Amino acid sequence: MSISDDFRFAFDVQGYLHLREALTSGEVAEYTRWMDEVQNTDVQALNADNPDGMKYQLNRPVSRVIDADPRFPRFLDHPAVEPFLIAFLGPDYRHIDNEVYYTYPEYKGGGWHRGVRPHPTGHVIDGKFICPMVKVFYCMTDVGPGGGEFEVVPGSHRAQFTIDHRKRLDLPAQHIFNDVKAGDIIIFNEGLLHNGRPNLSEKTRKTIIVNFGRHDAGVWTGYAPSPKTLEAVTARQREILTNTT
């Protein structure tokens, strides 16, 4: 299934898409249950095969969740997302890293950053996307103002000017995702400046995050899938994890 020209245009111009109600209420309930069951994973035991890899993991609360629970590879090729990944990265896109990520109450906020450099054309050449890295947020909780919102600077994947974004919470032309509902999906070009705002609420923002790259992308240190995972997943998921069939 291909995506519409409207989606292509929006992603080219903005660098992100906010897919509203992309997951059903039944899926949200199911995936939330999975998160509840996996959130207390012993991450040291999970990384016993590569303890040094933990230095590169977030573990808020669980990195490498695809290895921690055999149900989570579903998010590598979820039908609500895969057509977009194929359009933006190519049919042979690859996994880079994965998280169950919680933004807890009293979280102080992160810092503005980007995963790849901006590109003068916005990572499009001859009408085709050449994005090196695209990240997917499966949003499992409602997020309103003050709830540790995700934020981006739309169009910054093609920025021609620099700005000192150190120690700044707000930047010119930013977009704050303060109207998110559980079941929404956010897909964004890692060339965008992006950040997580302070969580001033009493609720934990819960997100399943998977990062993807083009066929030649390498997995980030500490996130290589285990042999056991590679045996358990589908052929398509194995291809995404290893670029082999």
Side-chain angles (χ1 to χ4, degrees):
M1 183 179 68
S2 61
I3 67 172
S4 70
D5 288 342
D6 286 1
F7 280 133
R8 294 176 188 274
F9 179 83
F11 193 77
D12 174 30
V13 173
Q14 299 178 150
Y16 75 88
L17 296 173
H18 183 173
L19 307 179
R20 300 182 185 274
E21 299 180 348
L23 304 175
T24 67
S25 59
E27 286 182 294
V28 172
E30 180 181 23
Y31 303 156
T32 298
R33 185 175 69 253
W34 296 359
M35 295 171 78
D36 290 343
E37 293 169 355
V38 80
Q39 66 185 7
N40 294 321
T41 295
D42 183 339
V43 295
Q44 289 188 332
L46 177 64
N47 287 278
D49 58 334
N50 183 22
D52 290 340
M54 289 188 64
K55 295 183 296 184
Y56 303 93
Q57 298 173 9
L58 299 177
N59 286 317
R60 289 180 38 198
V62 184
S63 299
R64 279 185 66 191
V65 69
I66 285 174
D67 293 298
D69 189 311
R71 297 172 292 188
F72 279 85
R74 177 176 299 188
F75 301 101
L76 294 168
D77 58 349
H78 193 287
V81 165
E82 187 171 29
F84 295 94
L85 296 175
I86 290 173
F88 303 148
L89 296 169
D92 49 0
Y93 68 84
R94 294 194 63 186
H95 156 266
I96 293 177
D97 63 75
N98 64 95
E99 313 273 348
V100 162
Y101 186 86
Y102 289 1
T103 302
Y104 299 102
E106 301 184 358
Y107 172 68
K108 301 301 183 183
W112 290 97
H113 62 284
R114 49 165 58 96
V116 297
R117 294 178 180 178
H119 190 280
T121 69
H123 301 108
V124 175
I125 291 181
D126 296 331
K128 293 183 178 181
F129 286 101
I130 58 165
C131 306
M133 192 183 302
V134 172
K135 188 167 283 187
V136 178
F137 286 1
Y138 295 89
C139 305
M140 293 294 110
T141 49
D142 296 351
V143 183
E149 313 98 305
F150 179 58
E151 60 183 344
V152 300
V153 179
S156 56
H157 58 308
R158 59 174 78 219
Q160 297 293 300
F161 297 92
T162 59
I163 189 170
D164 187 353
H165 51 71
R166 293 170 297 180
K167 299 183 180 179
R168 293 183 64 173
L169 178 62
D170 297 293
L171 291 181
Q174 69 188 14
H175 173 76
I176 302 173
F177 292 89
N178 58 9
D179 60 347
V180 171
K181 299 295 184 183
D184 289 1
I185 294 175
I186 298 169
I187 304 174
F188 68 98
N189 185 330
E190 270 279 2
L192 288 182
L193 279 168
H194 56 279
N195 192 10
R197 297 177 70 85
N199 187 353
L200 307 177
S201 75
E202 297 180 354
K203 294 176 57 179
T204 298
R205 171 186 154 211
K206 298 184 178 183
T207 315
I208 298 167
I209 301 177
V210 189
N211 197 11
F212 299 94
R214 298 188 68 80
H215 67 93
D216 55 351
V219 64
W220 279 6
T221 303
Y223 290 86
S226 71
K228 183 178 178 180
T229 296
L230 294 178
E231 291 177 2
V233 297
T234 68
R236 173 58 177 154
Q237 292 164 353
R238 190 177 306 113
E239 183 180 58
I240 295 167
L241 289 169
T242 65
N243 211 26
T244 60
T245 56

